[in-house]
Coordinates of all heavy atoms in Angstrom, one line a residue:
H12 N -150.1 37.3 -100.1 CA -151.0 37.3 -98.9 C -151.9 38.5 -99.0 O -151.7 39.4 -99.9 CB -150.1 37.3 -97.6 CG -149.1 38.4 -97.6 ND1 -149.4 39.8 -97.5 CD2 -147.7 38.3 -97.7 CE1 -148.3 40.5 -97.6 NE2 -147.2 39.6 -97.7
P13 N -152.9 38.6 -98.1 CA -153.8 39.8 -98.1 C -152.9 41.1 -97.9 O -151.8 41.0 -97.3 CB -154.7 39.6 -96.9 CG -154.7 38.1 -96.7 CD -153.3 37.7 -97.1
P14 N -153.4 42.2 -98.3 CA -152.7 43.5 -98.1 C -152.5 43.8 -96.6 O -153.4 43.6 -95.8 CB -153.5 44.6 -98.7 CG -154.9 43.9 -98.8 CD -154.7 42.5 -99.0
V15 N -151.3 44.2 -96.2 CA -151.0 44.6 -94.8 C -150.4 46.0 -94.8 O -149.7 46.4 -95.7 CB -150.0 43.6 -94.2 CG1 -150.6 42.2 -94.0 CG2 -148.7 43.5 -95.0
Y16 N -150.8 46.8 -93.8 CA -150.3 48.2 -93.7 C -149.5 48.5 -92.5 O -148.9 49.5 -92.4 CB -151.6 49.1 -93.8 CG -152.3 49.0 -95.1 CD1 -153.4 48.1 -95.3 CD2 -151.9 49.8 -96.2 CE1 -154.0 48.0 -96.5 CE2 -152.6 49.7 -97.4 CZ -153.7 48.9 -97.5 OH -154.3 48.8 -98.7
T17 N -149.5 47.6 -91.5 CA -148.7 47.8 -90.3 C -148.0 46.5 -89.9 O -148.4 45.4 -90.5 CB -149.6 48.2 -89.1 OG1 -150.6 47.2 -88.8 CG2 -150.4 49.5 -89.5
T18 N -147.0 46.6 -89.0 CA -146.4 45.4 -88.6 C -147.3 44.5 -87.8 O -147.2 43.3 -87.9 CB -145.2 45.8 -87.7 OG1 -145.6 46.7 -86.7 CG2 -144.1 46.5 -88.5
E19 N -148.3 45.1 -87.2 CA -149.3 44.3 -86.5 C -150.1 43.4 -87.4 O -150.4 42.2 -87.2 CB -150.2 45.1 -85.6 CG -149.5 45.8 -84.4 CD -148.6 47.0 -84.8 OE1 -148.7 47.4 -85.9 OE2 -147.8 47.4 -83.9
E20 N -150.6 44.1 -88.5 CA -151.3 43.3 -89.5 C -150.5 42.3 -90.2 O -151.0 41.2 -90.5 CB -151.9 44.3 -90.6 CG -153.0 45.2 -90.1 CD -153.5 46.0 -91.2 OE1 -152.9 46.1 -92.3 OE2 -154.6 46.6 -91.0
A21 N -149.2 42.6 -90.4 CA -148.3 41.6 -91.0 C -148.2 40.4 -90.1 O -148.2 39.2 -90.6 CB -146.9 42.2 -91.3
A22 N -148.1 40.6 -88.8 CA -147.9 39.5 -87.9 C -149.2 38.6 -87.9 O -149.1 37.4 -87.7 CB -147.6 40.0 -86.5
R23 N -150.3 39.2 -88.2 CA -151.6 38.5 -88.2 C -152.0 37.8 -89.5 O -152.5 36.7 -89.5 CB -152.7 39.4 -87.7 CG -154.1 38.8 -87.6 CD -155.0 39.8 -86.9 NE -155.0 41.1 -87.4 CZ -155.7 41.6 -88.4 NH1 -156.6 40.8 -89.0 NH2 -155.6 42.8 -88.8
L24 N -151.6 38.5 -90.6 CA -152.1 38.0 -91.9 C -151.1 37.3 -92.8 O -151.4 36.6 -93.7 CB -152.6 39.3 -92.7 CG -153.8 40.0 -92.1 CD1 -154.2 41.2 -92.9 CD2 -155.0 39.0 -92.0
V25 N -149.8 37.6 -92.5 CA -148.8 36.9 -93.3 C -148.4 35.6 -92.6 O -148.2 35.5 -91.4 CB -147.5 37.8 -93.4 CG1 -146.4 37.1 -94.1 CG2 -147.9 39.1 -94.0
P26 N -148.4 34.5 -93.3 CA -148.1 33.2 -92.7 C -146.6 33.2 -92.2 O -145.8 34.0 -92.6 CB -148.3 32.2 -93.9 CG -148.1 33.0 -95.1 CD -148.6 34.4 -94.8
A27 N -146.4 32.2 -91.3 CA -145.0 32.1 -90.8 C -144.0 31.8 -91.9 O -144.2 30.8 -92.7 CB -145.0 31.0 -89.7
L28 N -143.0 32.6 -92.0 CA -142.0 32.4 -93.1 C -140.6 32.4 -92.5 O -140.4 33.0 -91.4 CB -142.1 33.6 -94.0 CG -143.5 33.8 -94.7 CD1 -143.4 35.1 -95.5 CD2 -143.8 32.6 -95.7
P29 N -139.7 31.8 -93.2 CA -138.3 31.8 -92.7 C -137.7 33.2 -92.9 O -138.2 34.0 -93.8 CB -137.6 30.8 -93.6 CG -138.4 30.7 -94.8 CD -139.8 30.9 -94.4
G30 N -136.7 33.6 -92.2 CA -136.1 34.9 -92.3 C -136.5 35.9 -91.3 O -137.5 35.7 -90.7
A31 N -135.6 36.9 -91.1 CA -135.9 37.9 -90.1 C -136.9 38.9 -90.6 O -136.9 39.3 -91.8 CB -134.6 38.6 -89.8
K32 N -137.8 39.3 -89.7 CA -138.8 40.3 -90.1 C -138.2 41.7 -89.8 O -137.4 41.9 -88.9 CB -140.1 40.2 -89.3 CG -140.8 38.9 -89.5 CD -142.1 38.8 -88.7 CE -142.9 37.6 -88.9 NZ -144.1 37.5 -88.1
A33 N -138.6 42.7 -90.6 CA -138.0 44.0 -90.5 C -139.1 45.1 -90.5 O -140.2 44.8 -91.0 CB -137.0 44.3 -91.6
K34 N -138.8 46.2 -90.0 CA -139.6 47.4 -90.1 C -138.7 48.5 -90.7 O -137.5 48.6 -90.5 CB -140.3 47.8 -88.8 CG -139.3 48.2 -87.7 CD -140.1 48.5 -86.4 CE -139.2 48.7 -85.2 NZ -140.0 48.9 -84.0
N35 N -139.4 49.4 -91.5 CA -138.6 50.4 -92.3 C -139.1 51.8 -91.9 O -140.3 52.1 -91.8 CB -138.9 50.2 -93.8 CG -138.6 48.8 -94.2 OD1 -137.5 48.5 -94.6 ND2 -139.6 47.9 -94.2
L36 N -138.1 52.6 -91.6 CA -138.3 54.0 -91.2 C -137.8 54.9 -92.3 O -136.6 54.9 -92.7 CB -137.6 54.3 -89.9 CG -137.9 53.4 -88.7 CD1 -137.0 53.8 -87.5 CD2 -139.4 53.4 -88.4
F37 N -138.7 55.7 -92.9 CA -138.3 56.6 -94.0 C -138.2 58.0 -93.3 O -139.1 58.6 -93.0 CB -139.4 56.6 -95.1 CG -139.0 57.5 -96.2 CD1 -137.9 57.3 -97.0 CD2 -139.9 58.6 -96.6 CE1 -137.6 58.1 -98.1 CE2 -139.6 59.4 -97.7 CZ -138.4 59.2 -98.4
L38 N -136.9 58.5 -93.2 CA -136.6 59.7 -92.5 C -136.0 60.7 -93.5 O -135.5 60.4 -94.6 CB -135.6 59.4 -91.4 CG -136.0 58.4 -90.4 CD1 -134.9 58.2 -89.4 CD2 -137.3 58.7 -89.6
R39 N -136.1 62.0 -93.1 CA -135.5 63.1 -93.8 C -135.0 64.2 -92.9 O -135.4 64.2 -91.7 CB -136.5 63.7 -94.8 CG -137.8 63.9 -94.2 CD -138.7 64.8 -95.1 NE -138.4 66.2 -94.8 CZ -139.1 67.2 -95.3 NH1 -140.1 67.0 -96.1 NH2 -138.9 68.5 -94.9
D40 N -134.2 65.1 -93.4 CA -133.8 66.2 -92.5 C -134.9 67.2 -92.6 O -135.9 67.1 -93.3 CB -132.4 66.8 -93.0 CG -132.5 67.4 -94.4 OD1 -133.6 67.3 -95.0 OD2 -131.5 67.9 -94.8
A41 N -134.7 68.3 -91.8 CA -135.8 69.3 -91.6 C -136.1 70.0 -92.9 O -137.2 70.5 -93.1 CB -135.4 70.3 -90.5
H42 N -135.1 70.1 -93.8 CA -135.3 70.8 -95.1 C -135.6 69.9 -96.2 O -135.8 70.4 -97.3 CB -134.0 71.6 -95.4 CG -133.6 72.6 -94.3 ND1 -134.2 73.7 -94.1 CD2 -132.6 72.5 -93.4 CE1 -133.7 74.4 -93.0 NE2 -132.6 73.7 -92.6
G43 N -135.7 68.6 -96.0 CA -136.0 67.7 -97.1 C -134.9 67.5 -98.1 O -135.2 67.1 -99.3
R44 N -133.7 67.8 -97.8 CA -132.6 67.7 -98.7 C -131.9 66.3 -98.6 O -131.3 65.8 -99.6 CB -131.5 68.8 -98.4 CG -132.1 70.2 -98.6 CD -130.9 71.2 -98.5 NE -131.5 72.5 -98.6 CZ -131.2 73.5 -97.6 NH1 -130.5 73.2 -96.6 NH2 -131.8 74.7 -97.8
Q45 N -132.0 65.7 -97.5 CA -131.5 64.3 -97.3 C -132.6 63.4 -96.9 O -133.4 63.7 -96.0 CB -130.4 64.3 -96.2 CG -129.2 65.3 -96.5 CD -128.2 65.2 -95.3 OE1 -127.4 64.2 -95.2 NE2 -128.2 66.2 -94.5
H46 N -132.5 62.2 -97.4 CA -133.5 61.1 -97.1 C -132.8 59.8 -96.8 O -131.8 59.5 -97.3 CB -134.5 60.9 -98.3 CG -135.3 62.1 -98.7 ND1 -134.8 63.2 -99.4 CD2 -136.6 62.4 -98.3 CE1 -135.8 64.1 -99.5 NE2 -136.8 63.7 -98.9

């Protein structure tokens, strides 16, 4: 599909597909030692 950068764009540009949609959060601690 066309490139998507946000969940809103994905909802608009990605065709209806089976399966659960997900969003991903990339987190770290304050010192960058754990991700």
